[in-house]
Amino acid sequence: MKRTSDALVVGGGLHGLSAGLQLARRGLKVTLFERARIGRHASGASAAGVRTLGRARAELPASLAAMEMWHHMEELVGDNCGFEPSGQIKVAETEIELIDLATKVELLRADGFTHEEMIDAAELRALVPAISRHCVGARLVRKDGAADPHRTIKAFYAAARSAGVHIHEGIGVTSIDRRRALWSVGTTTGDFEAPLLVNAGGAWAAQIAAMAGDEIPLDSPKASMMLVTERVRPFLKPTIGAVGRKLSFKQTAQGTILIGGGQQGKADLVAETSEIDGMAMSRSAAAALALFPEIANLRIVRTWAGLEAKTFDNIAIAGLSPSRDGLMHLFGFSGHGFQLVPILGVATAELLVDGYSKVDLSGLAPERLMDASGARPVGNGVGWGRD
């Protein structure tokens, strides 16, 4: 016997939880499936950067709207998710890099975006006293920051449950059919049906899309790596990146240093595992040392990698299916989806329930990656590695 809901959500990462939460708050009966456990892959392995700085133009409208929600996160999920609006900074190490950053900021301002600013070497050192003396300036967003990924998962999970979302962990999807006006989803524990379906399947979302009738090609999955050091005295507030290096560098509230930036480990979608690549990880450490020499003697206490879908243009997929009614695709975040979580949940509910969204998602539409026959990659890589 099939169990019936108003909406089915495939995937129990943060985007699936956020979509389920907003649909439930619209009064819909929502059922969510997670094959492993909530937040098992990309969400649980995230560095939790909350960044508008350097966003691709296609993601910028959603990112700016999301940032306003991050500054009022407690109103949304009953907890601020450990969000610290201590700024994000992109450092230039040469005059050429500084000119490049300034040009990008000028182009944004010409289009009416004023959230980014340039700072000189003196202000950079005032904000980040430990930065290497050779750095010549930076690009900055003061309202950006970082959060606690596990606290965020816990908060969205609790909020979704409280709103009435039925969350099933350890249940995989085995088939998807559209019959009349209903989606019929077969799982490892039985069949479910609903008029609305959200594909938030993370690294496996292209497979879910294909089951539902949409061929959306993806690049090889990401297995972005992170490392964390022992605790040290507080010496850093903003999150630091660099123009010429793959680097994300921040100090947590506990005093540990979190280092990432997009170096890749080994992804295995079949085994559902990701492994650290020691040589690539050493490049992350070297990038951090170049900008912060004083961390040279810190001990590394843990490393990890998380699986995530990557698009060919490094831009997220968030939009209704161009060919199937009642289907929302929400994946392909390519290492920078954490900050978008609150607003894309709202946009999902708006699109599925109202048929339109107040958020401009035109640059995130899934059809940009699909040709008329179903599957052809387009676009060139942009983006900053991983948040």
Side-chain angles (χ1 to χ4, degrees):
M1 179 179 176
K2 290 183 179 179
R3 287 157 280 187
T4 301
S5 300
D6 298 314
L8 303 175
V9 179
V10 180
L14 278 166
H15 283 284
L17 290 172
S18 181
L21 167 65
Q22 294 296 339
L23 287 165
R25 285 183 175 172
R26 290 291 198 101
L28 275 64
K29 181 181 178 183
V30 181
T31 300
L32 182 150
F33 309 107
E34 166 53 48
R35 183 163 56 184
R37 65 177 186 274
I38 294 300
R40 165 65 180 83
H41 293 291
S43 295
S46 172
V50 182
R51 172 177 66 82
T52 62
L53 178 66
R55 282 276 174 185
R57 290 296 183 95
E59 292 182 351
L60 200 47
S63 182
L64 290 170
M67 187 55 68
E68 292 302 312
M69 297 182 73
W70 274 101
H71 282 267
H72 301 87
M73 185 58 78
E74 192 159 357
E75 298 173 14
L76 179 67
V77 293
D79 188 278
N80 77 351
C81 299
F83 174 53
E84 295 285 347
S86 48
Q88 290 231 2
I89 293 175
K90 192 83 165 180
V91 173
E93 299 177 75
T94 67
E95 291 296 335
I96 291 175
E97 289 179 354
L98 192 64
I99 291 170
D100 178 63
L101 290 182
T103 299
K104 288 182 169 65
V105 172
E106 289 172 4
L107 289 172
L108 281 173
R109 289 181 178 273
D111 290 341
F113 297 107
T114 59
H115 59 291
E116 294 194 5
E117 63 181 285
M118 290 297 296
I119 56 175
D120 60 16
E123 186 166 4
L124 174 59
R125 278 189 275 280
L127 291 170
V128 191
I131 197 79
S132 178
R133 305 297 293 181
H134 75 277
C135 297
V136 296
R139 183 180 178 187
L140 162 70
V141 175
R142 297 181 191 272
K143 293 179 67 176
D144 283 0
D148 180 327
H150 300 290
R151 189 168 159 182
T152 305
I153 293 168
K154 182 178 179 181
F156 272 83
Y157 174 78
R161 287 283 301 270
S162 180
V165 179
H166 298 273
I167 298 175
H168 299 276
E169 297 179 83
I171 294 182
V173 171
T174 56
S175 65
I176 300 176
D177 292 309
R178 180 77 175 176
R179 297 174 182 172
R180 295 181 294 277
L182 291 175
W183 289 102
S184 179
V185 175
T187 76
T188 50
T189 61
D191 296 336
F192 295 78
E193 63 181 15
L196 305 177
L197 177 64
V198 178
N199 172 18
W204 298 268
Q207 299 171 19
I208 299 298
M211 286 185 191
D214 279 342
E215 295 292 336
I216 304 177
L218 292 176
D219 205 343
S220 299
K222 299 190 75 169
S224 299
M225 301 183 296
M226 303 293 299
L227 67 84
V228 63
T229 73
E230 62 185 315
R231 296 182 183 187
V232 293
R233 63 171 179 81
F235 75 99
L236 177 68
K237 284 290 187 182
T239 299
I240 307 298
V243 177
R245 307 176 192 273
K246 288 185 175 180
L247 177 65
S248 170
F249 186 94
K250 70 188 75 168
Q251 186 170 30
T252 69
Q254 293 75 36
T256 57
I257 306 300
L258 195 59
I259 300 170
Q263 293 289 352
Q264 297 298 300
K266 301 169 184 175
D268 188 333
L269 287 185
V270 176
E272 301 184 21
T273 60
S274 52
E275 295 183 11
I276 296 296
D277 181 321
M279 290 302 295
M281 183 64 81
S282 70
R283 290 193 286 273
S284 287
L289 272 172
L291 266 62
F292 295 93
E294 72 175 60
I295 68 167
N297 296 320
L298 288 184
R299 291 172 294 185
I300 297 170
V301 297
R302 191 163 69 93
T303 62
W304 67 90
L307 282 170
E308 185 174 14
K310 178 181 180 300
T311 62
F312 284 100
D313 58 9
N314 262 326
I315 292 170
I317 296 168
L320 294 174
S321 165
S323 61
R324 302 290 187 273
D325 291 336
L327 172 60
M328 175 78 183
H329 294 299
L330 198 58
F331 63 95
F333 294 101
S334 307
H336 42 269
F338 183 85
Q339 189 260 355
L340 299 171
V341 163
I343 194 64
L344 291 187
V346 172
T348 295
E350 289 177 340
L351 286 170
L352 287 175
V353 177
D354 303 330
Y356 69 95
S357 174
K358 294 186 285 294
V359 184
D360 178 8
L361 301 181
S362 55
L364 313 185
E367 52 263 44
R368 77 180 192 277
L369 299 170
M370 306 160 65
D371 68 12
S373 63
R376 180 171 60 84
V378 297
N380 296 311
V382 295
W384 284 17
R386 188 175 189 221
D387 294 331

